Structure formats: C-alpha cells, structure tokens
C-alpha cells in the first residue's frame, strides 16, 4: 500500500510503479504486476533517469524469473548492472550480480553463476551481511548443481551464520533444508537429521507449501537411507 500511495500522490514516480508491480507479482497478481512494471520501466526510460531505469530493469528481471523466462530476466539484469556500474553504486552492483547468478543457476550454468557471486562477495567485503548471506547461499546452490557437496556445505554454513546473525528466520529455515539435503546426499545422516528437525521448527512458522514439501521429501530420503 505504501508504493501504491506513493504514485497516487506523485504520478511521475517511476520507482513506485516498479516496486508496486513487483509486489503484485509476488502476491500472484501477475497481470496487474506486469502492467505496473511496464509502466514504471516506460516512465523511467522516458525521463532518462538512470537510477529509476536501474530499479525498473532490476524489478523486471526479478519478475521474469517468476514468469519462468530466464533469458528476459538476464537481459533486464544486465541493463540494470550496466547502469549501476556507471553510477558507481557498488552495493547495488553486488546485489544485481547476485541476481544474475540466480538466473544462471536456473539455466543450469552454475560455473557462470559462481563468477558473479564471487564478484559480489569481493565488492561487499564486510558490508551488507544479509546480501553476503544470499551470495553464499547461492554459491552453495551452484556447487550443489555441480555435485560438489563439500563445497556446497562450506558455503551454506557461511550463509547460515549470517542469516542467524541478521535474524533472517525465513531465509535461515530454507537454508537449513538445503544444508540437510547436502549432508544426506553425502551419507552423513545423523547431521542431516538434526538439521531437518531444526528446519521443521523454523519453516513451520512460515508454512510455505514448497518449502514444507521439500522438507517432507528429504525426511523421506533420510528414512529410506537409514533403512538401507
């Protein structure tokens, strides 16, 4: 409602349209979200406002991932990245690099994703620990795709420490599932079981259907491996 009120008050506020469109999209209001995202992008391009265009392209990239169109997502993220580099906004550059890495993971090109994530971590240093956490979590995902389970665990544990430090309980719960999965795949079943128990405690609070389904799936795999 804040973004909606912002462009009701100021109809020439492209960032508000873009962010409102992104919120609609995340809530499942796809057509409404698309309408406002395109409006925000068109307005930013018309105004030739670099910061507004970077935000619009980034929001479009996030939405195209949700619309299962990684090619369009990548194109919009790259436009946003080019602008942020020209503006010398290093933190936003790091965030967009992280978003681009997610696209490459979706496209099953984890080697490309790793390059962008390592660049993000280098840029961030000790800043923005929640973004660092997302980078390490996605590095874990890259290594998981490559079946480099030990490397996945190292990065997941770095992410877990940062999510815990920043009180990011939802992200921590999802990360615990991935970490448990990695231990189970390595055959370290006792540790995997402990992590699943902790994940159930955290994830049950948010009760996201996909996350809970994954939890039950990996619990089943754990019990099957114990049986063997």
């Amino acid at each position: 409602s804040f973004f909606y009120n912002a462009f009701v008050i100021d109809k020439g506020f492209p960032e508000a349209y873009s962010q409102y469109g992104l919120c609609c999209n995340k809530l499942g209001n796809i057509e409404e979200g698309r309408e406002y995202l395109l409006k925000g992008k068109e307005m930013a391009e018309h105004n030739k406002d670099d910061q507004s265009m970077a935000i619009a392209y980034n929001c479009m990239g996030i939405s195209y991932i949700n619309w299962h169109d990684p090619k369009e997502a990548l194109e919009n993220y790259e436009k946003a990245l080019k602008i942020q580099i020209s503006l010398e906004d290093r933190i936003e550059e790091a965030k967009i690099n992280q978003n681009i890495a997610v696209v490459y993971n979706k496209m099953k090109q984890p080697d490309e994703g790793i390059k962008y994530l390592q660049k993000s971590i280098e840029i961030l240093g000790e800043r923005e620990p929640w973004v660092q956490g997302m980078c390490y979590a996605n590095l874990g995902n890259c290594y998981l795709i490559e079946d480099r389970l030990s490397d996945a665990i190292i990065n997941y544990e770095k992410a877990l420490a940062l999510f815990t430090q920043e009180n990011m309980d939802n992200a921590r719960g999802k990360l615990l599932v991935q970490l448990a999965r990695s231990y189970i795949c390595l055959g370290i079943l006792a540790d995997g079981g402990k992590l699943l128990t902790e994940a159930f405690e955290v994830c049950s609070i948010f009760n996201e259907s996909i996350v809970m389904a994954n939890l039950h799936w990996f619990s089943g795999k754990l019990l099957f491996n114990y049986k063997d």
Side-chain angles (χ1 to χ4, degrees), residues 61 64-65 69-79 81 95-120 138-139 141-146:
Y64 275 116
I65 280 293
D69 191 340
K71 183 178 178 182
E72 287 291 338
L74 189 58
E75 184 178 317
N76 279 275
Y77 282 144
E78 286 175 342
K79 287 179 181 178
L81 181 61
K95 290 177 183 178
I96 295 169
N97 277 327
Q98 196 267 148
N99 289 345
I100 290 173
V102 171
V103 179
Y104 278 116
N105 266 4
K106 296 279 186 185
M107 297 168 70
K108 303 301 181 188
Q109 297 179 42
D111 52 331
E112 288 298 315
I114 289 167
K115 293 175 188 175
Y116 280 94
L117 290 165
Q118 289 174 336
K119 181 68 173 174
S120 288
N138 281 301
L139 266 176
N141 292 339
C142 290
Y143 290 127
L144 191 64
I145 292 169
E146 292 186 334

Side-chain angles (χ1 to χ4, degrees), residues 72-90:
E72 287 291 338
L74 189 58
E75 184 178 317
N76 279 275
Y77 282 144
E78 286 175 342
K79 287 179 181 178
L81 181 61
K82 184 177 180 181
I83 293 170
Q84 296 296 6
I85 290 171
S86 71
L87 293 173
E88 299 184 352
D89 189 332
R90 300 289 278 163

Side-chain angles (χ1 to χ4, degrees), residues 128-156:
E128 302 289 339
W130 74 272
V131 184
Q132 291 179 53
M134 297 302 296
C135 289
Y136 284 120
N138 281 301
L139 266 176
N141 292 339
C142 290
Y143 290 127
L144 191 64
I145 292 169
E146 292 186 334
D147 205 31
R148 294 166 59 182
L149 296 173
S150 295
D151 289 326
I153 287 170
I154 289 168
N155 283 279
Y156 284 147

